[in-house]
Each structure stands twice: as structure tokens, then as C-alpha cells.
Amino acid sequence: MNHSIKKYFPIFVLPTLAAFVIGFIVPFILGIYLSFCKFTTVTDAEFVGISNYIKIFGDKNFLHSIWFTALFTVVSVVTINLLAFIVAMLLTKGFKGTNIFRTVFFMPNLIGGIVLGYIWQIILNGILAHFGVTMQYSATYGFWGLIILMNWQQIGYMMIIYIAGIQNIPTELIEAAKIDGATSWQALKNVTLPMVMPSITICTFLTLTNGFKLFDQNLALTGGGPSHQSEMMALNIFDTFYAKMGYEGVGRAKAVIFFILVALIAFVQLRATRSKEVQQ
Amino acid sequence: MRKKLLSAALCLTMTATLFSGCGSDSGSKKGGDDSKGKVYYLNFKPEQGDDWKALAEEYTKETGVEVKVVTAASGTYEQTLKSEIAKTDAPTMFQVNGPVGLATWKDYCYDLKDSDLYKQVKSDDFVLKEGDKVSGIAYVIETYGIIYNKTLLAKYCEMDGAKIKDASEINSFAKLKEVADDIQAKKKDLGVDGAFTSAGMDSSSDWRFKTHLVNLPIYYEYKADGIDSTEAIKGTYLEQYKQIFDLYLEDSTCDPKLLASKTGDESAAEFATSKAVFYQNGTWAYGDITKNGLKDEDLGMLPIYIGVDGEENQGLCTGSENYWCVNSKASEADIKATLDFMNWCVTSDKGRDKIANKMGFVTPFKSFDDGYSAKNPLIQADSDLLAAGKTPVSWNFSTIPSEEWKNNVGAALTEYAQGTGKWDEVQKAFVDGWAEQYQATH
């Protein structure tokens, strides 16, 4: 067995590795290089040193987008995980039609972000029209619009992960707790939660990075309006790259900073939640 | 042995999927050998995308030269071009929107001075030059103004207490405002929702204000100062700009608070269904507004009066933001094929017929003078005003320093319209933003 794994190793790994190198490693290194360049198209670039990075600090919209993104991420991580966990708990109680409910909750995740963004734009604008305003009226509407949209889209997906976690808990653990006289709240807090910690790790990781990287939904729902006030980091980078002539390099530099920030936060989060996981 | 075969087959399938993505293109290539070169046209106008494809097929049938036409989705031309031109099979024929666009792409522009196409251009007003080099040639001349519904306006003129007796009496901002205000007051009797269609600030419509309407204060400032571009705009005519924009907001079919989400389609539909009398747009809108039964005789176009002295003699805004360029980094054969294709488009019967009659373009080429002129009432309105001795307004918005400037002015306008921002913000985006963007890009 071991022998044949070794023998076929290159055949099974190479295609994936090649795809990973072409689709990720090369653009990533090229991107870092380009962040130090001035260019119009990626094939002819002129090295200019760190001037692109200096330009970032004068950009008020980018700084605003960092705070806006951070706030959005905090709120969305909390709401998505809380609601997904509650739904998962309800749907593991053995109700009739549980499978139908699970499917229905999961469905929004099958629709692309741009489409969702436009659908919700129509819905929310339709509601807001009764109050004589639109999504563009203030960034607050855009913010909560995005939260609602992301919750709707992601709860189903996180729910599936939580359900898998909850179903993996040995029933004797819960039974033992019950026999010892634990209330259902205590059983939840002291048995269920520690046991689903791996699911929590993965779900917070996913929602956290999704929150930071959010682009399609932002573009479709508000387009960053009014006046860049609901613009998140990814959209800001996109706009810098395409709408400002001669700012392609600055867009790249922002993207590098964006990567470092997201990688750092995701790393810290993984370390923090991992340490709470228990072995069965 | 069988196992080995199976695993080999599996591996083949795996690698095959990797390449299938790239492979699918090759099927679409139509015979045409390399020595003849090939043409790849990245088209800007989605409205005419199918027409260009059909024309390209005709050309391939006639000459055997492969012509590929790709149309960038609305509003994404620059980004499509940016990524396409970095490829090995780059567009050989693309377009820039004027001097500012040219600044980005000048290294990619082939000198068209000796081309047959350049010999067909009526005047150098229609080409983009850097010194002696001819970098771009306009292929369509367009006109915009305030399109009005002749039938509705005539109906208004017959009403008691109408401010005018005939559309031709509107020759200044004051008159336009008087009429629009009166129509707005009598909208029930006239059966309309408002004098002007909604000034939608959605991205499908906001260019009418952040690009086209903004041209007027820029035009008058350049004219007053005797310049044709500037690194810092003063905003001398911003007051007039505010005046006309306010008029669009007040005498409109909808509450200004809802404008942020109003689209270009909605605005066009309001006009097409006779729910509004005035609609700021240009000759290209002809197809959209006649879809619902408006006849040619219902349509007229007025100059956009903003309240500047001497505007009785102002004509419509006429110019081009569509300049053809040839990619100088393409191979010799491809460049030659592209130049031949361009020339064929504007001199052959098939090409001229398609461009003038199907696409409805007014072109600056001599070859179109013998019987190939596009006809629609909006183009007619322009010729009539020219014949009456009015001075057309040139398209100075092509000197706007960046897209970002337009976006910021648009955003400030949106906030002003819905009441969450002050006019000061528009002024700031207009004046300070100009200098800022100019500095940033030069």
C-alpha cells in the first residue's frame, strides 16, 4: 500500500500542484512585485520602490473602509454563528421534516453573491421606498443590508457544519450529564459546546475571512455608496485599481496590506479557538 | 495490468480537465492563415455588439481574414482592455475615450498617419493627436441635449395660460424653467407624472449628470478663459450647473430621495410611455425611447440651457468619445490586417450600410457622404440647429482628469439630491477634486 502511494504520488499531486502554482503562487508573487511598480498592464511594469505604499496613507476612503470592514466582520461573525448554532440545535431535535428544513436553509448558499446582492437590493429598496428613502441614503442602511444579506446566505452553510458537530457528540455524554442532574442549559454549556469546538473553529474562521473578503455582495448591494461610505476593503482596492488612472500599483499595494491583515487575524483566531478544543 | 491501465486512464482524465478550459476556444477559430494576420476588435458599445459580429463575419467570408469581435459589458471597458491587452492574443483594435484615455494607452497606439482610414477623415477635429502622431480616429459623432416629446409639448402649448405657443420659443434657461414649472403644476391635466424624467443616480444613469451635464459648466469656463484643458478648474459656472440640476430634481416624475436607485431604463421608460415631456440624453437613445410606440414625429431635441449669457445661440452638445486605436504591440501582419479591416468598414458598401443604417452612426468619414447618412429625428434636430446657425457645444468632458473625479462628483450629486449632503460637497468634489485628481495622475 505504502509502496504504491509513493509510486503514484507525482501523478496524483502534480495536476493539483500545477493548478495551485499557476492559479495562486505565481499571481501572488507577481502581485507583491507589482505593488512596488507603476504600470498600466501587468506585463510592462516599471519599478518605483515604496511610493505606492506611501500613497495609501493619504487615502481617507481606504482607512474608512478598514474600519467599516472590521465592524462588519465583528457583527456578522457573531450573528451568523449564533443563529446558525441555534438553527442547528433545533434541527437536531428530531422534528418531522428536518431534512426539508435543512435543505431550505442551505439553499441561499447555492446562489452567487452578485445575484444575491441585486435581489436584496430590490427587496430592501422596495421596503425602504415606503419610508421615502433608498439604500444609498446612508451607510447605516448599507451596513445592516449587508448584515441581513450575509446572514441569509451563510447561516445555512454554517448550520450544516454545526449539525455535523452536534451529531458527532456521543449520546452517552449527554445522558450521563442528565443523570447527574444537569439542566439543559448546563448540558449545553458544559458538554455540547466544548464538544463542538472544532466546528466553532472552522465556522468562525470561515465567517471571519468571508467578512473581510466580502466583495460581490458589497458591489451589487450598495456599490460602496453613498460617497464610498459603505465601501469595504476589497471593493476599495478594486476601485483604486480600475477607476484611477496611474493608481494600479497603489491598488496592488493595498491588496498586499489587505492580505497581511487578513492572514494575521485569521491566524490569531485559529490559535485562540484551537486551544479550546477538547479531545474525545 | 488492468489496474495500471485504469489508473493511467484516470490520470489522463485528470490532466485533461486541466487543459479543457483553454481548449474550448480553439473550436471557434475560422480558417484564416497566419500570414494574412488577424483582427481582434474589442468593442465598446454593447448596443451594436451583434452588428459588429455580423460585419466581421462578412469580412471573413470575403477576404478569409479572421476577425474576432468581443464586446465589453457596459461600464467595464477599461478593465476588460487592461486585462485583454496583457495577453498574447491581445486586441489589435481597441478604443480610447479622448485625451485622458489616450494618456493611459499612448504606448499602445499605432501611428495612423499613413493609414487609409485617416485619409477618409473630414477634419483633424475628429482625431486624437500627440504632436504629429495620429493615435486615435473617431468613428462616431454623437449629440446630446434635452430630448422632448413634441406631441406632449404641442398639447401643452394649446392649454390655457401656456407660457409658450411653440417649442422654438424655448431658447434660454429662464424660459425652460418657466415652461417646466408650469408643466409640473399642470401635470394632471397633461396626463404626465412630471416635466422631466427621473434624474436617476444609479450607475446606469448617473453618467448623464456626472459626465454629460457637467460638460456645460466646463465648456463655458474653457470658453471664457480661452483654453481647452486645465489642471485646476475654477468652477465659474457651477451656479448654473446647480440651477439646471435643481430643475431636474424639482420638476421631476419622482421624489428626489428615491433617485439613488433609479436606473437609466426607468428614466427612458418614463419618456417612452409619455409620462414626462423632457429627457436629457443623446442620439444613441433613439432605439430605447421608440420601443413603446413613440413615433419619429413625436421627438425633438433642445440644447441644454443652463443660464449663461448668450445661450440663445447655443446648439446641442456634439462630439465623440469613441476613438479607434490600433495596438502598436501587435505583429506587423496583424496591424496590417486591422488597418485593412478598418478601411473596409468605412469604404465598402456592406460596411457603410451596416454602420450608417444598422448601427445608426453619424461618422466623420468622407466616404459616407454619398448616400450613407444615418437618419433619425434626433440626428435631424442637430442638423436643423446647425443649419440655423447655432454653435454646437464641444465635448470637453473628455478632459476630465479621471473616472474617480466623475464618481466623486456623482456621489456628491446623489447626496445633494436626496438631501443628505450639501451643494458645497459637489463644489468641493468638482473644484478641489479636479486639482487633486490631476496631480495624482500627472
Side-chain angles (χ1 to χ4, degrees), chain A residues 27-39 42 44-49 52-53 252 256:
Chain A
F28 183 71
I29 293 170
L30 191 67
I32 292 179
Y33 166 68
L34 285 174
S35 72
F36 295 103
C37 293
K38 186 174 170 54
F39 62 96
V42 293
D44 63 280
E46 175 200 342
F47 194 81
V48 292
N52 288 334
Y53 287 89
R252 284 290 347 163
V256 170

Side-chain angles (χ1 to χ4, degrees), chain B residues 159-226:
Chain B
M159 291 170 88
D160 285 342
K163 301 289 179 194
I164 48 163
K165 291 282 156 247
D166 185 77
S168 61
E169 286 175 46
I170 303 176
N171 62 358
S172 67
F173 176 77
K175 206 78 198 171
L176 177 67
K177 182 168 165 58
E178 209 182 328
V179 172
D181 285 349
D182 202 37
I183 290 178
Q184 188 74 12
K186 295 173 180 164
K187 62 182 182 187
K188 286 230 173 64
D189 305 327
L190 205 54
V192 295
D193 291 342
F196 285 92
T197 60
S198 57
M201 296 307 288
D202 178 80
S203 61
S204 59
S205 162
D206 65 349
W207 46 268
R208 294 193 290 138
F209 313 104
K210 71 180 187 190
T211 309
H212 285 173
L213 188 60
V214 92
N215 183 52
L216 288 136
I218 298 174
Y219 166 78
Y220 276 110
E221 179 169 335
Y222 283 4
K223 203 173 143 197
D225 297 354

Side-chain angles (χ1 to χ4, degrees), chain B residues 319-381:
Chain B
S320 184
E321 60 164 352
N322 298 282
Y323 295 88
W324 271 339
C325 302
V326 173
N327 185 355
S328 57
K329 305 204 173 177
S331 73
E332 287 279 327
D334 288 354
I335 289 179
K336 176 144 193 326
T338 308
L339 292 173
D340 288 346
F341 173 67
M342 287 164 125
N343 192 44
W344 180 83
C345 284
V346 303
T347 53
S348 71
D349 290 345
K350 274 177 189 154
R352 286 185 294 176
D353 177 56
K354 198 83 166 179
I355 290 176
N357 301 331
K358 208 63 203 253
M359 304 186 201
F361 287 166
V362 179
T363 65
F365 303 115
K366 291 172 199 151
S367 53
F368 282 77
D369 282 349
D370 44 335
Y372 289 99
S373 52
K375 279 178 212 70
N376 77 44
L378 303 178
I379 295 169
Q380 192 55 42

Side-chain angles (χ1 to χ4, degrees), chain A residues 7-8 11 15 40-44 125 132-134 136-137 226-228 238 241-245 247-248, chain B residues 4 7 11 14 18 79 82 85-86 100 104-105 108 257-258 260-261 403-404 407-408 411 415 418 420 440-441:
Chain A
K7 197 165 135 205
Y8 289 111
I11 296 172
T40 306
T41 59
V42 293
T43 42
D44 63 280
N125 272 335
V133 288
T134 66
Q136 298 287 330
Y137 193 73
S227 308
H228 301 285
F238 177 82
F241 196 91
Y242 285 116
K244 273 193 196 176
M245 208 183 82
Y247 267 63
E248 291 86 354
Chain B
K4 247 188 192 160
S7 60
C11 296
M14 245 162 34
L18 255 185
Q79 65 208 58
K82 232 176 230 182
I85 214 157
V100 172
T104 315
W105 296 108
Y108 291 84
K257 274 189 183 155
L258 298 176
S261 66
E403 275 304 303
E404 183 83 356
N407 294 345
N408 291 343
E415 292 219 55
Q418 64 188 11
T420 49
T441 52

